[in-house]
Amino acid sequence: MRRNQDCNGIDHLIARRDFLWGSAAGAIGLGALSSPLNAAALQRQQKRVLQIYLQGGVSQLESWDPKPGTQYGGPFQAIPTSVPGIHISELLPHTASRMHMLSLVRGINSKIGDHRQGMLFMEKGRRAGDYPYLGSVVSKYLAPADAELPGYIHISKRGIVDSTAAFLGARHAELKLLGDQAPANLASPNTIDETADEARQRLRVQFDRRFSQQRSRALTDVYNSSFEQAEKLMKRKAMFEGAVGEQDLDRYGRHDFGRHCILARDLLENGATCVKVTHHGYDTHAENFNFHLEQLGEFDKTFSMLLDDLHDRGMLDSTLVIVYSEMGRTPKINTKYGRDHWGTAWSVAMGGCGIQPAAVIGKTNDEGTEVVEREVDGGHLFHTYLSALGLDSTTDHDVAGKSIPIGDPAAAPIEELLA
Amino acid sequence: MNSNATIDPVQTHLISELKHSRPLTTLRVDPESRYVAAGAQDLDVQLWDLEDGRLRTLSGHQSWVRSIDFSADSKQLYTACWGGVVNIWDLTQDAAPIIRSIPAHQGAARWVRVSPDGTRLATCGNDLLVKLWNIETGEQELELKGHERHVYGVDFHPDGGHLVSQDLMGAIFIWDLKTGGQQRKIDAGMMTGYDKKFAADMGGARDMQFNACGSRWASAGITKVVNSFAGIQDPIIVVFDWETGEATRQLRAAENFKGVAWAVRFHPQGFLVGGGADKSGKGELWFYNDGSDEAFHTFKMKSAARGVDLVGADRLAVAHADGHVRLYQMTAEATEPDDIGSIPAVDRDIADSDDLDSGLPAERSVLGPEGR
């Protein structure tokens, strides 16, 4: 059954909490927030998402949920943070001093100990099925129509380009940047001036129109989206060409992750709606402790600098920041000083837009082997992210007349985490 | 103990085991071969008296102990932990109290060694520093800077005037303790690897030891990194010449052994003993002589070896990942049970000797004494 037939973008998605807040405020009036005017306001506010994906499965025991001195606690200590009562691993001293900007979810039981399936669950909020990633959903509903950058940009040095948009269409698929290098061929050939370029674009559109008259629009959508994304990037190619400032490099670090986070900041500041940065190297079946020292040592300061910049530039309130993995790591330490895959009791961190700061939701037992309080999974997190952005995740996508629930109807937002 | 029998590593066999409840991380035997001290995946140090079998548990660290040393008279024990603290323990007292606790490093203190004259400790750690401490006062005497990555191992040259330290990237520094300066830098790049897939470095000295006369030192670790996150790399023991700084030998394990060399010891009779952990969780001891970089004998063990030390000249103590210290005898098995004091003998089936080097015994004769 088709619903929301005349839906244009985000109007029907504005979250219930915003609607109620608007009603209570009185000045705006009942229903005002669901009007196109408010949808435009939401877009003007340009809510954004920054995803920091710690690929491979960061150890919760070496990051957000340390258990020092216990059987499986490992060698590292827990340190106090800027929030009294919250302790995190000593491997995150810079993040610890910014804990008041973040919150932790320590009760994740995704029941998935597989990289691919775990990642898909965390990105789609569903265990199975052809659903769009969070970044594509955000691109669809939050990216302004006249956005000067693609709605969903993923910075990573490797990995496959996933089909992230599902039924939302190619326009909302991730644009993958291989590191901080400019994508190839951003400049027009020397032999084509601006006039010639406009002429060939007109010709292409004309051909497309004729082609699509007798075929499914989907066939030309991918093609058009590619051109549109390329066009946007070509107009903003200066972003990639400027040398990264020495001061930024000193602060963020001269490694790949540092450069990627500087680019992420710049992209968000220049209108990108969702930017995902992948930090590789957490699949520590061997030498878990030495590798977490190295990897989190790199993550900690860089992430903290990025958090500071978002805050200092007044962007944190409108940017949802998520630090996540596809799973956690086993409490049990194997004979290689490694920790293996573990979906049973692990953590993520988040902050910024719509998230109550300085909260800890959920709890694991003393040895970290199971969740003992407020168990959640990828479905709950997906709802929570969208709710924090002011989108009602319990409504439906409208796809060619077909209604598809945005979030898993079996899950719900973690209400106590929302601001 | 059959200590008068001829030492022959090919005859290595298990004679006893000492059990702890947690996986062990390291091990050291005192110079009188009376005590075995082991760190574990907990906050304590286990100290076994090999004469009477008594176990003392020393508590006081806030993190795992990763390196241990004894004073020459076996009256003091020195331990370094992941929390950066070095403790000095008084073994003359029954309770073995902590004499001094030194906050030696920011981040892990990876290694501790006592100077040949017994007055100073050398430590290194994740703060990229090598430090020298006065044992009597606990004061820092030197802070040596130069390493750019975590410093994994440090040891005194037997002349007492020099230190050698090695970091994650295989950078080895020779330090002159009179001047407090860096005397030489040696590249042991073969002992590190960059895992392209996971974008991380792996390497470092997992054990270091000079021979008795100081003409050589050996460093144990890894090489040929394939997938370090899964533990797929080769163990290696590199022997360096003190005069030239050259890596004169690169000792390997069998081709199918993938993991880490966690230990190396010069035996007084001239051969060299290594020990390590395979990715499968099993362990091996390797015995090398001067004739070949291949082990002339490999002794397989059911559990990963994380530390090896000599007990006298005829035995080896091994710290295992299954929580046991096992003692192995390097002489022929006695026809009648040996008297091994109060230490319980074990079922011989739990470890099997397997001579993998049937083609090598021609080179097996041990060469020149290098007594410790």
Side-chain angles (χ1 to χ4, degrees):
Chain A
M1 176 180 167
R2 181 176 181 177
R3 288 186 280 170
N4 300 318
Q5 295 220 352
D6 299 320
C7 173
N8 288 316
I10 69 167
D11 296 6
H12 73 291
L13 291 172
I14 292 178
R16 189 177 297 110
R17 78 185 53 254
D18 286 345
F19 178 84
L20 294 173
W21 177 87
S23 301
I28 298 174
L30 189 68
L33 278 170
S34 61
S35 73
L37 186 67
N38 284 286
L42 193 60
Q43 288 186 339
R44 271 202 306 279
Q45 195 183 351
Q46 178 66 79
K47 290 187 175 179
R48 310 168 189 85
V49 176
L50 168 66
Q51 295 177 286
I52 305 290
Y53 175 41
L54 307 182
Q55 190 273 334
V58 69
S59 167
Q60 68 283 357
L61 294 156
E62 275 68 60
S63 56
W64 311 117
D65 194 12
K67 307 282 184 184
T70 63
Q71 183 176 2
Y72 304 127
F76 300 120
Q77 301 293 299
I79 54 172
T81 68
S82 60
V83 179
I86 298 182
H87 289 66
I88 61 175
S89 170
E90 65 170 304
L91 301 184
L92 300 170
H94 296 282
T95 307
S97 66
R98 292 158 179 82
M99 200 65 226
H100 55 281
M101 294 191 239
L102 299 169
S103 283
L104 301 176
V105 177
R106 283 179 171 162
I108 302 173
N109 181 3
S110 56
K111 303 182 178 73
I112 297 175
D114 173 84
H115 291 294
R116 179 79 185 159
Q117 294 308 313
M119 183 274 288
L120 291 174
F121 190 24
M122 291 300 285
E123 292 287 2
K124 298 179 175 184
R126 276 155 161 114
R127 295 183 183 277
D130 187 21
Y131 294 95
Y133 284 33
L134 176 71
S136 292
V137 174
V138 166
S139 171
K140 166 82 174 171
Y141 297 112
L142 292 183
D146 57 351
E148 295 181 351
L149 283 169
Y152 178 20
I153 299 173
H154 179 191
I155 308 167
S156 173
K157 284 290 268 190
R158 62 182 177 84
I160 57 174
V161 176
D162 277 323
S163 173
T164 66
F167 45 75
L168 294 182
R171 181 193 300 269
H172 304 293
E174 74 171 13
L175 171 74
K176 190 159 189 176
L177 299 180
L178 289 172
D180 60 337
Q181 300 301 308
N185 306 316
L186 277 193
S188 294
N190 292 335
T191 52
I192 298 177
D193 62 17
E194 201 172 319
T195 312
D197 190 42
E198 284 173 8
R200 67 176 185 155
Q201 291 300 334
R202 280 197 303 274
L203 185 62
R204 179 181 68 77
V205 171
Q206 191 181 331
F207 284 158
D208 281 354
R209 198 173 297 133
R210 188 179 303 166
F211 182 81
S212 61
Q213 278 172 354
Q214 296 176 5
R215 292 172 179 83
S216 158
R217 221 183 85 190
L219 288 172
T220 52
D221 272 357
V222 176
Y223 183 68
N224 279 331
S225 295
S226 300
F227 268 96
E228 285 171 15
Q229 290 204 338
E231 214 174 340
K232 287 176 181 176
L233 287 173
M234 288 169 78
K235 285 178 182 167
R236 305 302 297 268
K237 72 184 171 75
M239 270 194 65
F240 298 97
E241 292 171 345
V244 179
E246 283 297 307
Q247 198 179 351
D248 276 343
L249 289 172
D250 285 345
R251 292 175 63 235
Y252 279 71
R254 291 166 192 276
H255 40 73
D256 284 344
F257 184 61
R259 291 174 180 276
H260 297 177
C261 283
I262 293 169
L263 176 60
R265 179 199 66 189
D266 293 347
L267 289 167
L268 288 167
E269 204 171 25
N270 280 274
T273 300
C274 180
V275 178
K276 173 179 171 179
V277 181
T278 294
H279 192 216
H280 296 281
Y282 292 91
D283 191 18
T284 50
H285 294 280
E287 302 260 333
N288 173 76
F289 307 105
N290 281 329
F291 281 129
H292 273 78
L293 261 169
E294 297 287 324
Q295 302 304 89
L296 286 178
E298 196 169 271
F299 161 83
D300 179 45
K301 189 180 177 200
T302 301
F303 171 66
S304 297
M305 295 303 101
L306 182 50
L307 209 52
D308 283 355
D309 282 353
L310 293 177
H311 176 265
D312 293 348
R313 296 169 193 213
M315 294 165 63
L316 192 56
D317 286 346
S318 57
T319 305
L320 172 65
V321 178
I322 308 166
V323 183
Y324 68 114
S325 284
E326 65 269 44
M327 58 191 160
R329 304 212 74 81
T330 51
K332 188 174 179 184
I333 300 160
N334 67 29
T335 59
K336 303 186 290 287
Y337 288 115
R339 296 190 192 269
D340 299 310
H341 297 177
W342 179 252
T344 306
W346 53 288
S347 311
V348 300
M350 66 186 82
C353 181
I355 297 295
Q356 180 197 148
V360 175
I361 307 297
K363 186 179 174 185
T364 53
N365 64 7
D366 288 345
E367 295 196 326
T369 56
E370 61 181 320
V371 176
V372 294
E373 191 177 297
R374 191 59 166 116
E375 182 173 304
V376 297
D377 61 27
H380 301 91
L381 292 168
F382 191 82
H383 277 285
T384 305
Y385 301 146
L386 293 179
S387 298
L389 292 163
L391 300 172
D392 188 348
S393 58
T394 63
T395 57
D396 295 350
H397 295 291
D398 176 22
V399 184
K402 188 177 172 188
S403 292
I404 301 172
I406 292 175
D408 184 350
I414 305 168
E415 292 286 347
E416 62 270 36
L417 190 53
L418 299 172
Chain B
M1 219 84 53
N2 205 19
S3 56
N4 293 325
T6 303
I7 292 169
D8 180 359
V10 174
Q11 303 294 331
T12 299
H13 60 278
L14 177 69
I15 55 169
S16 63
E17 62 182 18
L18 312 165
K19 189 175 182 184
H20 181 52
S21 58
R22 297 282 179 85
L24 301 179
T25 55
T26 187
L27 165 152
R28 189 75 165 160
V29 176
D30 76 301
E32 296 175 359
S33 294
R34 177 177 175 180
Y35 298 113
V36 174
Q41 289 177 198
D42 56 25
L43 309 181
D44 301 327
V45 178
Q46 306 303 321
L47 181 69
W48 284 278
D49 186 329
L50 295 178
E51 287 184 0
D52 60 14
R54 187 167 68 120
L55 169 66
R56 281 184 279 177
T57 297
L58 315 185
S59 300
H61 277 289
Q62 297 300 310
S63 188
W64 295 359
V65 169
R66 60 176 305 134
S67 181
I68 298 173
D69 205 0
F70 283 92
S71 61
D73 59 7
S74 301
K75 290 179 178 173
Q76 289 187 348
L77 179 74
Y78 314 108
T79 54
C81 79
W82 282 80
V85 171
V86 171
N87 282 340
I88 301 175
W89 310 77
D90 180 2
L91 301 188
T92 64
Q93 297 188 48
D94 199 51
I98 294 173
I99 299 169
R100 186 162 289 108
S101 191
I102 303 170
H105 294 274
Q106 290 292 317
R110 288 182 180 262
W111 215 251
V112 59
R113 282 291 176 264
V114 65
S115 62
D117 67 2
T119 62
R120 299 192 283 185
L121 294 178
T123 64
C124 62
N126 288 355
D127 53 7
L128 316 184
L129 299 172
V130 176
K131 295 183 177 181
L132 206 63
W133 306 89
N134 182 303
I135 293 176
E136 187 66 28
T137 65
E139 289 176 2
Q140 181 182 307
E141 291 189 350
L142 276 178
E143 181 178 281
L144 305 171
K145 296 179 181 174
H147 286 288
E148 295 178 355
R149 300 295 289 272
H150 296 162
V151 194
Y152 273 58
V154 63
D155 202 4
F156 284 93
H157 186 274
D159 68 12
H162 297 86
L163 282 179
V164 58
S165 59
Q166 182 173 343
D167 67 26
L168 171 69
M169 302 306 289
I172 294 176
F173 291 148
I174 308 291
W175 307 93
D176 183 337
L177 298 183
K178 284 181 187 160
T179 64
Q182 191 187 116
Q183 192 176 67
R184 279 185 288 172
K185 184 177 179 183
I186 297 163
D187 178 19
M190 79 290 276
M191 297 185 71
T192 189
Y194 181 71
D195 190 314
K196 289 179 183 170
K197 185 175 178 189
F198 293 101
D201 297 302
M202 186 183 183
R206 308 310 174 99
D207 195 11
M208 297 176 77
Q209 194 194 31
F210 275 95
N211 63 358
C213 66
S215 63
R216 302 187 291 171
W217 83 92
S219 177
I222 63 156
T223 191
K224 291 186 177 175
V225 170
V226 175
N227 179 348
S228 55
F229 283 69
I232 303 174
Q233 69 278 316
D234 290 349
I236 190 170
I237 293 168
V238 182
V239 180
F240 297 90
D241 181 86
W242 174 249
E243 284 301 318
T244 66
E246 285 180 20
T248 56
R249 301 181 65 192
Q250 298 186 28
L251 311 178
R252 309 295 175 96
E255 192 72 22
N256 61 355
F257 189 97
K258 300 296 177 190
V260 178
W262 282 105
V264 60
R265 286 291 178 272
F266 286 96
H267 190 276
Q269 292 193 359
F271 62 89
L272 203 140
V273 186
D278 180 70
K279 65 183 176 63
S280 66
K282 294 183 178 176
E284 285 186 353
L285 293 172
W286 309 295
F287 300 90
Y288 305 90
N289 60 28
D290 276 349
S292 170
D293 287 350
E294 306 294 325
F296 68 78
H297 179 60
T298 295
F299 182 80
K300 293 189 172 183
M301 301 174 289
K302 72 169 188 175
S303 177
R306 291 174 166 180
V308 177
D309 209 354
L310 287 163
V311 185
D314 62 335
R315 284 174 292 163
L316 293 169
V318 179
H320 285 287
D322 66 0
H324 290 80
V325 169
R326 293 197 173 88
L327 297 176
Y328 300 92
Q329 185 83 28
M330 293 183 285
T331 60
E333 290 193 63
T335 50
E336 293 186 9
D338 291 331
D339 174 12
I340 56 172
S342 304
I343 307 301
V346 297
D347 181 348
R348 298 285 157 81
D349 291 339
I350 66 172
D352 301 311
S353 177
D354 183 3
D355 189 346
L356 299 177
D357 304 293
S358 55
L360 295 173
E363 297 288 343
R364 209 173 68 200
S365 59
V366 295
L367 302 173
E370 297 205 68
R372 178 179 168 180

